Amino acid sequence: MMQGLIGLADLFDLDRLDDDTWVGPTDGVRLPQLFGGQLVAQSVVAAGRSVDDKDVHSVHTTFLRAGTSGTPVTLRVERLRDGRQISIREVNAWQGDRLLCRSVVSCAVPVEGLAHSRPAPTTPPPDACPDIREVAAADGGLGEFWDDFASIEVRLAPDVPGPVAHSASPANGVWMRSVHPLPDDPVLHRATLAYASDLMLMSTAVTPHGHVSGHERSLASTWNAVSLDHAVWFRGTPRADGWMLFEHTTPMAQSGRALIEAAVFDEHGTALGHVVQEALVKPL
């Protein structure tokens, strides 16, 4: 287990200033900018707390400015719509007078209706996959940034040879879960999935260019990468302190902007959601 500064339950324990304003801590990760997964996850919590009878089913975040670790984040919720089936919230995340990101979060009443999912990939179970630190050993270790991601356990599935129809490189199977048990609160489990979903995407974005997933030290020394936007669609209620399989693919890149996707499944092959991110990736 990597050493960390704050657990996810504490990170998502927002202080309520009024009906639509929340303040949350930062996770202490020593990245050059605030980790985007934290902002997406806290936006999910703020929006989820503003509805009583609906579940968060999607979040679409546009990153606007870099935040700094160690400074609390103020999340301001605007109630765009409250219908019988769907409620829409806009969540703006601020540090002082800097608007860091804007998220549109959709919440829906759980109902019986059309339901399907693609099959889960054939991937070894998490216990048969190496911890990311084992993979990183051949690259000189993970480096200081990753030492701070203590709240998420990461295991990397072996590469599956051969082309993938919807990806420029073979799919990366990444098992992740919260290190610590989480309360039985669906909002927190969706927020944790959203937090974890922002890990390893940059690594996948450059695998078509010779990068080895898990060699995060080489990634940091070779590429400059920042998230432009991030979207998550949830299917059902995840249990984020259980293993979640993120199957990462990268269907295209143009002008230094890479699109990365992840289909998410639980350990039994049940679909939990889908992730899409666009990132600006440039060689150093």
Side-chain angles (χ1 to χ4, degrees), residues 139-160:
D139 191 45
L142 284 170
E144 63 175 354
F145 298 153
W146 267 90
D147 287 342
D148 294 334
F149 283 110
S151 298
I152 299 292
E153 185 175 358
V154 180
R155 292 180 174 268
L156 302 182
D159 290 339
V160 178

Side-chain angles (χ1 to χ4, degrees), residues 154-208:
V154 180
R155 292 180 174 268
L156 302 182
D159 290 339
V160 178
V164 178
H166 55 280
S167 182
S169 61
N172 291 327
V174 184
W175 289 102
M176 290 189 273
R177 67 177 177 183
S178 170
V179 169
H180 305 292
L182 296 170
D184 291 328
D185 181 343
V187 172
L188 296 183
H189 288 271
R190 289 184 174 89
T192 300
L193 188 156
Y195 182 92
S197 73
D198 199 24
L199 291 168
M200 303 300 296
L201 292 176
M202 300 301 186
S203 194
T204 298
V206 292
T207 52

